Amino acid sequence: MIKKFDKKDEESGSGSNPFQHLEKSAVLQEARIFNETPINPRRCLHILTKIIYLLNQGEHFGTTEATEAFFAMTRLFQSNDQTLRRMCYLTIKEMANISEDVIIVTSSLTKDMTGKEDVYRGPAIRALCRITDTTMLQAIERYMKQAIVDKVPSVSSSALVSSLHMVKMSYDVVKRWVNEAQEAASSDNIMVQYHALGLLYHLRKNDRLAVSKMLNKFTKSGLKSPFAYCMLIRIASRLLEETEGGHDSPLFDFIESCLRNKHEMVVYEAASAIVHMPNCTARELAPAVSVLQLFCSSPKAALRYAAVRTLNKVAMKHPSAVTACNLDLENLITDSNRSIATLAITTLLKTGSESSVDRLMKQISSFVSEISDEFKVVVVQAISALCQKYPRKHSVMMNFLSNMLRDDGGFEYKRAIVDCIIGIIEENPESKETGLAHLCEFIEDCEHTVLATKILHLLGREGPRTPSPSKYIRFIFNRVVLESEAVRAAAVSALAKFGAQNDDLLPSVLVLMQRCMMDSDDEVRDRATFYMNVLQQKQKALNAAYIFNGLSVSIPGLEKSLHQYTLEPSEKPFDMKTVPLATTPITEQKTEMAPVASSKLPEKLAPSRQDIYQEQLAAIPEFQGLGPLFKSSEPVQLTEAETEYVVRCIKHTFANHMVFQFDCTNTLNDQLLQKVVVQMEPSEAYEVVQYVPAASLPYSQPGSCYCLVRLPEDDPTAVSCTFSCTMKYLVRDCDPNTGEPDDDGYDDEYVLEDLEVTVADHIQKVLKPNFAAAWEEVGDEFEKEETFALSSVRTLDEAVGNIISFLGMQPCERSDKVPENKNSHVLFLAGVFRGGHDVLVRSRLALADGVTMQVTVRSGEETVVDVILASVG
Amino acid sequence: WGFVVTRHVMRQLTTCCLPQQEPSLYTVKAVLILDNDGERLYAKYYDDTYPTVKEQKAFEKNIFNKTHRTDSEIALLEGLTVVYKSNIDLYFYVIGSSHENELMLMSVLNCLFDSLSQMLRKNVEKRALLENMEGLFLAVDEIVDGGVILESDPQQVVHRVALRGDDVPLTEQTVTQVLQSAKEQIKWSLLR
């Protein structure tokens, strides 16, 4: 009665929401009635509801007030009102992190969890685990084990899910409950089955063998729960990926069989798993695609959405596999759910023919403003893929993109458009001027610093080399006047490039620079002063070194070297050549544009692969004093796949040495290998200095051993060498189940494939954004030229590819892309030779009968030029 | 010139770069109920995607703006899959990662809606919900636990929430419902 009365009271005051004007302090005041005897369950329930409501609204509770309310609440356990008790559990969970001493309810909860009231037991377990830590968990371990195998599903499920939450904190305790979880997995209840499977997997996920056994068991016995099936499919596809299992594996068969499951959820999960598998053939995809096709006409929006989203993914890699669904996708173009319509259109853009492009683009522009940014990005990605496929359509696309650029939208969306336009400019030189014009217009009113600086950088690189560079100056200088520091600084750098490239613009650029030198920001002033001084020298070499092509060293490496230098003061000036080079940023010349938003940032965030190797090698005492790591190669496999031992080698090049790192994996579970070394026999005058063995190599745990080799000093041109490699080790047989090895062992060896060291191992790629300037900078003092005939090569593309991979140098000015239908081509390559000498290669190719190649090499060091030419010949 | 990386961008990156996620029972990132002004009536977040109340409210605002005018059931927002349903003046949302099986999220949403519908005797509207907030709290607690789907059968949920004896409805309505679902099942078994 009182509850009803209360409500009326509040309703008259605050409209339809009785909770609208709740005051925390008033509610806490009310909570005092928790202490009254006898307990009034209805009123107390209402107050608890208010407290949880407030917490739910994000109201902040101080520790003291929360603790006070919590302790008052504990008294309510005396009441036997079911709903009230359940609300107490909720309050405990909600307050577990804000109140102190919540563990005082442990005994009450333990009593409820083991009591007779089934309605209490499940929720009590979950509340109890919420406030329990590892030590207390051991005290209730016995009850947990019993609860997991309890015949009441809600109790068993609660215990399993709570155990899963506890795994993170108390793995060692929970893993003792595996047998109980195993028993629960054979329960008839579908949710219990699902939860047991999830817990079992979490406990075993690091033991591939156990996971595989578990999969085997459940896929054979069959489960009733569709959720559990989805989980099984995920586990199976993960295992397939990890073991690089072929698609003839029983796991793949299992996933495929799930395409015929009676639950749509399971069918979809299986189809999605197959679609996401790497290296699926069109034939393997076909059954998955055809179930997705069926889903396209489902009355359920979620299912249509799921299907078309997955088909969209398939279309990225296998457009032809999706063409069969084109008709179904056409029907979805007008779907009232715009997300579905967008996905359908972008999928069609990937699978359809060139003729349908205009129609689809028109369709999509009719509702592009209605869809969320996420899907706008999907549209932009589709456009960018399209531009690669149909370069002739770039003017239509460019128009569309510039309209999108003017619309409202968030950062990711705008970035995707800008990336796409930049991609088009780089692919199609004839679109450069229109593209730059659109971007100039965009930065006139652009709130995203990152994009503005990116575009300014691009303008600096491309603008000076257009027919009328002067028209960009205005856009750039406007930035200096109007924008934030970062943008102003970028604008100054761009201006400098115009001055350096175009003599007739130089006087005006100098005037503008003069103005920038009065900027309020340090960085802007510094840049302006620096460029001003460089430009005034009017020397091509200086311009090239300091304006066009910046530093190519690794920034963390530079930091480390400078720190080292300050620790050991010396008379010698700091030598930039001792700083490790940056591994070339792939972003500059990336040709694959498909996932626009992906893969650009990760490299910037994580330390580069080479920085990691540098750290690892520096930690090995034998490799002290080798100087900075110059280059690390990609791993080379020295064994066939599926052999007893898997060995791959990474070649690390230093100034006068090489370190060969052998990553070995022992795939025999009845052997333990010890003192593993890879013995190397060089074919040339290379000298093996030292081996660093891997102490022990247990089953399936990779380990590394190393070999240090000195490069021949007397003959600097001897850069290539072949090593024959043999792995030597001590074998100790062991019990496959326990891993316990025998006491005795015997020596054995295993012959590996030969390892080649080539000229590419001595050269690090360096990108010169302005190759011509760099060419002038190095000068022709040691220039050499030779002509070769490549008789076995049939196309220019092939020749370009061969040269790049052979020399291991960085193609510049996008010269790795040979325009179609051309008979000649010039390839520009840049790199740094071991020891820190810049080396540039210009290679003119002509296609006649085979390919004729004229190679011109420049470097600051004569031997380097000789090495290159000698290795080509 | 480096990039500014927001959490949002990072989420998109991880969604692009890691097609294979660790298999896990953690399926639901949040359950929300908003009213027809987009105000929060109920919100439960199960992970740290939106750690502060401020970020949560901003997300809810965004979600409401993008969905309240359409009845399209599903959307991708801020890199997350959102399934939703509206009834009179209530908007129900279940949110999961963009890799999550959309149908699983849908089963959570349906379970929540059907459970409430039974508990409120088909009166799924704001006023009735506010009068039974404790029922809502307990129902969600039975459906999702810490992001794991605990139960997907509305009958079970209603049974477990077990509001006080005199409140448990065995009215005509529920009898017809039982009959209806029995009919459905017979129909399906005949069709098969």
Side-chain angles (χ1 to χ4, degrees):
Chain A
M1 274 324 286
I2 295 167
K3 183 183 175 190
K4 288 245 166 70
F5 180 75
D6 267 351
K7 203 163 287 161
K8 237 181 204 153
D9 224 26
E10 279 158 358
E11 270 172 27
S12 55
S14 62
S16 63
N17 185 347
F19 294 98
Q20 198 158 45
H21 297 295
L22 279 189
E23 281 282 338
K24 181 178 69 175
S25 51
V27 174
L28 290 174
Q29 191 82 14
E30 280 185 278
R32 291 191 178 167
I33 66 149
F34 292 172
N35 290 316
E36 280 172 16
T37 328
I39 293 166
N40 180 335
R42 293 217 160 201
R43 276 192 73 185
C44 293
L45 175 64
H46 193 52
I47 294 163
L48 277 187
T49 308
K50 285 180 181 173
I51 292 179
I52 298 183
Y53 183 86
L54 283 175
L55 285 165
N56 202 273
Q57 287 294 319
E59 184 88 40
H60 175 75
F61 278 64
T63 311
T64 327
E65 54 189 7
T67 311
E68 207 167 288
F70 185 86
F71 274 70
M73 182 276 299
T74 57
R75 225 190 130 254
L76 301 181
F77 270 88
Q78 289 173 15
S79 164
N80 281 324
D81 185 279
Q82 278 196 1
T83 314
L84 182 61
R85 181 71 60 87
R86 297 287 309 278
M87 287 300 278
C88 286
Y89 301 147
L90 274 193
T91 317
I92 293 170
K93 290 205 276 189
E94 295 288 335
M95 289 201 159
N97 286 338
I98 43 179
S99 163
E100 285 175 337
D101 300 324
V102 284
I103 55 166
I104 70 151
V105 288
T106 303
S107 64
S108 306
L109 289 172
T110 316
K111 206 170 119 225
D112 283 355
M113 132 184 204
T114 53
K116 287 203 190 76
E117 285 276 13
D118 285 347
V119 192
Y120 290 164
R121 291 170 62 205
I125 291 172
R126 288 185 278 127
L128 181 57
C129 287
R130 184 75 180 75
I131 58 166
T132 297
D133 62 18
T134 306
T135 37
M136 276 168 44
L137 188 62
Q138 295 182 343
I140 57 163
E141 180 168 9
R142 188 161 56 94
Y143 305 124
M144 287 300 288
K145 281 181 167 181
Q146 282 166 6
I148 289 176
V149 293
D150 199 285
K151 62 181 190 318
V152 179
S154 70
V155 175
S156 177
S157 274
S158 292
L160 286 162
V161 172
S162 300
S163 308
L164 180 69
H165 297 323
M166 305 292 286
V167 168
K168 272 171 238 131
M169 193 175 73
S170 320
Y171 176 81
D172 289 326
V173 181
V174 179
K175 90 172 175 218
R176 297 199 289 253
W177 310 343
V178 162
N179 289 336
E180 283 75 14
Q182 192 91 263
E183 192 181 328
S186 47
S187 158
D188 279 343
N189 182 284
I190 57 168
M191 293 317 283
V192 174
Q193 226 172 44
Y194 171 56
H195 297 138
L197 178 66
L199 178 61
L200 283 173
Y201 176 70
H202 270 266
L203 290 174
R204 289 170 171 171
K205 61 186 173 191
N206 294 323
D207 181 351
R208 223 176 260 171
L209 201 68
V211 172
S212 148
K213 272 187 194 154
M214 183 174 91
L215 273 176
N216 199 11
K217 181 177 163 213
F218 289 123
T219 51
K220 285 224 175 72
S221 65
L223 294 166
K224 278 165 68 187
S225 155
F227 293 109
Y229 260 108
C230 290
M231 184 71 185
L232 272 185
I233 292 170
R234 289 178 200 185
I235 300 173
S237 70
R238 177 150 183 116
L239 192 66
L240 263 179
E241 188 190 40
E242 280 177 353
T243 54
E244 289 164 18
H247 297 167
D248 47 354
S249 135
L251 291 178
F252 187 83
D253 294 342
F254 162 71
I255 296 176
E256 199 172 31
S257 75
C258 289
L259 290 174
R260 295 180 291 277
N261 194 290
K262 64 177 179 205
H263 294 279
E264 281 169 344
M265 185 194 287
V266 179
V267 176
Y268 168 62
E269 185 76 40
S272 159
I274 293 177
V275 165
H276 283 106
M277 269 175 212
N279 338 313
C280 243
T281 63
R283 221 186 80 232
E284 286 159 341
L285 280 173
V289 169
S290 59
V291 300
L292 293 173
Q293 182 176 10
L294 279 181
F295 288 165
C296 281
S297 45
S298 161
K300 297 177 194 160
L303 194 52
R304 292 199 303 276
Y305 171 90
V308 68
R309 197 159 100 99
T310 315
L311 284 174
N312 194 346
K313 289 216 177 90
V314 183
M316 285 187 185
K317 272 200 230 145
H318 302 277
S320 57
V322 188
T323 26
C325 310
N326 277 3
L327 213 60
D328 306 79
L329 291 169
E330 288 277 354
N331 289 332
L332 295 181
I333 289 182
T334 48
D335 200 293
S336 66
N337 183 324
R338 292 310 191 194
S339 309
I340 296 177
T342 312
L343 286 166
I345 293 178
T346 51
T347 313
L348 282 169
L349 284 174
K350 289 175 196 130
T351 62
S353 61
E354 189 164 0
S355 57
S356 61
V357 168
D358 291 312
R359 180 175 60 90
L360 291 169
M361 295 299 281
K362 204 165 181 181
Q363 182 85 33
I364 207 163
S365 35
S366 68
F367 64 80
V368 75
S369 56
E370 291 173 43
I371 58 181
S372 70
D373 270 15
E374 271 79 5
F375 284 106
K376 287 180 182 167
V377 172
V378 172
V379 173
V380 176
Q381 286 174 350
I383 294 176
S384 119
L386 212 57
C387 291
Q388 288 197 358
K389 204 162 137 200
Y390 306 121
R392 279 188 298 164
K393 287 277 168 204
H394 70 77
S395 59
V396 184
M397 302 298 164
M398 191 66 99
N399 236 333
F400 189 77
L401 287 171
S402 68
N403 285 332
M404 287 174 101
L405 205 49
R406 280 185 212 115
D407 288 345
D408 289 340
F411 170 66
E412 276 94 316
Y413 173 45
K414 289 289 157 85
R415 191 184 62 181
I417 302 176
V418 169
D419 283 349
C420 185
I421 293 184
I422 294 178
I424 297 178
I425 293 176
E426 291 182 345
E427 295 293 320
N428 310 285
E430 67 268 39
S431 69
K432 189 190 278 182
E433 288 202 56
T434 15
L436 289 181
H438 289 312
L439 292 176
C440 281
E441 186 194 332
F442 173 60
I443 53 169
E444 286 282 82
D445 182 20
C446 169
E447 57 195 311
H448 308 292
T449 308
V450 174
L451 294 181
T453 48
K454 183 170 187 165
I455 291 170
L456 284 168
H457 181 78
L458 177 81
L459 283 176
R461 204 177 70 205
E462 300 294 340
R465 287 182 276 174
T466 52
S468 49
S470 58
K471 70 178 174 197
Y472 300 106
I473 302 265
R474 179 173 63 88
F475 290 102
I476 297 174
F477 193 68
N478 279 349
R479 307 276 71 70
V480 178
V481 183
L482 300 166
E483 301 277 353
S484 66
E485 296 82 12
V487 180
R488 295 206 301 271
V492 168
S493 300
L495 271 183
K497 288 183 182 143
F498 281 83
Q501 180 91 21
N502 307 92
D503 289 339
D504 44 338
L505 288 179
L506 183 60
S508 12
V509 168
L510 285 176
V511 171
L512 296 176
M513 279 292 170
Q514 201 97 45
R515 277 195 58 182
C516 299
M517 284 164 70
M518 283 173 287
D519 197 280
S520 60
D521 181 70
D522 288 350
E523 174 70 21
V524 181
R525 273 200 317 273
D526 288 353
R527 285 197 193 190
T529 315
F530 175 74
Y531 289 132
M532 182 84 183
N533 283 307
V534 175
L535 286 172
Q536 279 170 337
Q537 307 300 317
K538 297 187 183 164
Q539 286 184 27
K540 284 230 161 67
L542 286 180
N543 285 349
Y546 296 113
I547 296 182
F548 293 125
N549 303 319
L551 288 178
S552 50
V553 293
S554 128
I555 299 299
L558 178 61
E559 189 185 344
K560 229 172 276 170
S561 304
L562 284 170
H563 181 67
Q564 197 62 36
Y565 185 75
T566 53
L567 289 183
E568 297 161 8
S570 83
E571 289 297 305
K572 278 198 303 186
F574 180 74
D575 184 4
M576 278 302 270
K577 285 184 180 159
T578 62
V579 182
L581 293 168
T583 29
T584 327
I586 318 163
T587 52
E588 292 287 331
Q589 300 236 339
K590 219 167 135 234
T591 46
E592 193 197 346
M593 280 286 293
V596 180
S598 74
S599 80
K600 290 214 165 174
L601 295 186
E603 292 114 322
K604 309 246 169 191
L605 301 173
S608 75
R609 181 171 153 269
Q610 189 165 333
D611 289 334
I612 296 169
Y613 284 134
Q614 166 101 35
E615 292 273 312
Q616 286 174 354
L617 292 175
I620 299 171
E622 284 84 348
F623 302 144
Q624 299 289 330
L626 296 182
L629 174 59
F630 177 73
K631 180 177 187 177
S632 296
S633 74
E634 290 299 316
V636 185
Q637 297 294 341
L638 296 184
T639 50
E640 305 277 332
E642 320 266 325
T643 46
E644 299 96 303
Y645 312 116
V646 180
V647 180
R648 54 173 213 173
C649 177
I650 297 156
K651 299 175 270 185
H652 301 289
T653 311
F654 290 84
N656 299 311
H657 296 83
M658 287 188 83
V659 169
F660 298 95
Q661 171 183 342
F662 298 95
D663 293 339
C664 315
T665 312
N666 168 14
T667 64
L668 299 178
N669 62 0
D670 56 354
Q671 284 192 355
L672 169 71
L673 306 189
Q674 290 184 319
K675 299 180 194 154
V676 185
V677 291
V678 174
Q679 192 171 336
M680 304 182 79
E681 295 288 343
S683 65
E684 307 287 325
Y686 283 48
E687 180 194 347
V688 175
V689 181
Q690 196 162 27
Y691 293 107
V692 178
S696 110
L697 211 56
Y699 163 58
S700 87
Q701 289 177 23
S704 298
C705 60
Y706 301 88
C707 172
L708 174 64
V709 167
R710 184 179 295 126
L711 297 169
E713 278 164 25
D714 42 344
D715 181 11
T717 56
V719 289
S720 48
C721 180
T722 305
F723 291 88
S724 49
C725 305
T726 314
M727 181 159 83
K728 301 201 165 182
Y729 45 85
L730 178 77
V731 184
R732 290 174 71 186
D733 292 324
C734 58
D735 185 324
N737 294 319
T738 61
E740 198 61 44
D742 288 352
D743 292 336
D744 309 321
Y746 52 91
D747 287 316
D748 201 353
E749 59 179 57
Y750 189 84
V751 178
L752 304 174
E753 282 172 32
D754 288 353
L755 181 69
E756 302 275 350
V757 171
T758 63
V759 64
D761 292 314
H762 301 269
I763 299 177
Q764 179 68 282
K765 293 181 178 189
V766 168
L767 180 72
K768 298 285 184 191
N770 188 328
F771 187 83
W775 187 253
E776 292 304 320
E777 179 197 349
V778 171
D780 57 2
E781 191 180 353
F782 298 115
E783 180 179 294
K784 285 191 184 172
E785 194 169 86
E786 242 175 277
T787 308
F788 305 89
L790 310 175
S791 51
S792 61
V793 182
R794 289 279 148 241
T795 66
L796 289 176
D797 259 334
E798 196 185 343
V800 166
N802 285 351
I803 300 168
I804 294 172
S805 69
F806 179 74
L807 288 177
M809 294 171 71
Q810 176 68 39
C812 297
E813 311 281 346
R814 303 186 65 77
S815 61
D816 52 332
K817 298 203 67 160
V818 182
E820 279 176 52
N821 307 326
K822 283 277 183 67
N823 291 331
S824 63
H825 182 67
V826 188
L827 173 66
F828 301 111
L829 296 172
V832 169
F833 195 79
R834 179 168 54 78
H837 308 290
D838 267 331
V839 51
L840 301 174
V841 170
R842 187 183 64 198
S843 162
R844 295 178 201 274
L845 302 160
L847 183 69
D849 245 357
V851 174
T852 314
M853 170 173 81
Q854 184 194 46
V855 180
T856 315
V857 188
R858 284 185 176 188
S859 169
E861 179 72 32
E862 189 167 13
T863 41
V864 176
V865 177
D866 293 336
V867 166
I868 303 274
L869 283 178
S871 64
V872 175
Chain B
W1 42 289
F3 281 103
V4 181
V5 182
T6 61
R7 181 174 319 121
H8 197 125
V9 180
M10 280 308 295
R11 191 171 327 124
Q12 288 223 319
L13 284 173
T14 44
T15 49
C16 298
C17 306
L18 305 168
Q20 277 277 338
Q21 301 252 303
E22 170 119 302
S24 144
L25 296 191
Y26 293 94
T27 307
V28 182
K29 282 177 174 287
V31 173
L32 308 175
I33 302 176
L34 308 179
D35 70 5
N36 54 352
D37 297 319
E39 290 297 319
R40 176 194 282 191
L41 292 178
Y42 180 83
K44 185 92 188 147
Y45 289 81
Y46 296 102
D47 64 10
D48 292 335
T49 313
Y50 299 97
T52 66
V53 177
K54 203 176 148 200
E55 287 167 278
Q56 293 175 359
K57 294 260 163 120
F59 173 63
E60 285 157 31
K61 196 172 164 210
N62 185 14
I63 235 181
F64 184 74
N65 287 339
K66 291 276 162 50
T67 56
H68 78 283
R69 264 176 272 111
T70 61
D71 53 349
S72 30
E73 218 176 285
I74 186 160
L76 183 69
L77 274 174
E78 306 192 12
L80 302 171
T81 298
V82 179
V83 293
Y84 58 100
K85 194 178 188 110
S86 62
N87 200 55
I88 309 178
D89 48 3
L90 291 175
Y91 291 81
F92 297 83
Y93 301 89
V94 173
I95 291 129
S97 122
S98 61
H99 297 285
E100 199 40 77
N101 187 323
E102 290 84 349
L103 303 183
M104 272 199 186
L105 297 174
M106 212 59 208
S107 76
V108 174
L109 180 68
N110 288 334
C111 178
L112 173 65
F113 188 85
D114 295 345
S115 306
L116 283 177
S117 172
Q118 281 194 43
M119 288 160 56
L120 304 175
R121 297 181 195 155
K122 296 227 161 170
N123 247 338
V124 187
E125 42 138 358
K126 184 173 168 185
R127 198 187 171 96
L129 183 72
L130 285 168
E131 282 173 16
N132 284 282
M133 279 311 262
E134 66 275 9
L136 166 68
F137 292 149
L138 294 176
V140 178
D141 185 56
E142 288 295 341
I143 299 171
V144 185
D145 184 88
V148 177
I149 305 177
L150 195 60
E151 182 54 71
S152 62
D153 177 3
Q155 303 296 340
Q156 285 295 326
V157 173
V158 173
H159 171 73
R160 285 181 202 166
V161 168
L163 288 172
R164 269 179 311 285
D166 55 2
D167 275 5
V168 174
L170 193 76
T171 57
E172 260 178 284
Q173 211 165 32
T174 50
V175 174
T176 22
Q177 263 173 19
V178 171
L179 281 177
Q180 183 67 32
S181 70
K183 250 190 229 162
E184 286 282 341
Q185 276 178 3
I186 294 168
K187 197 169 76 190
W188 276 109
S189 60
L190 287 176
L191 282 175
R192 200 154 281 153

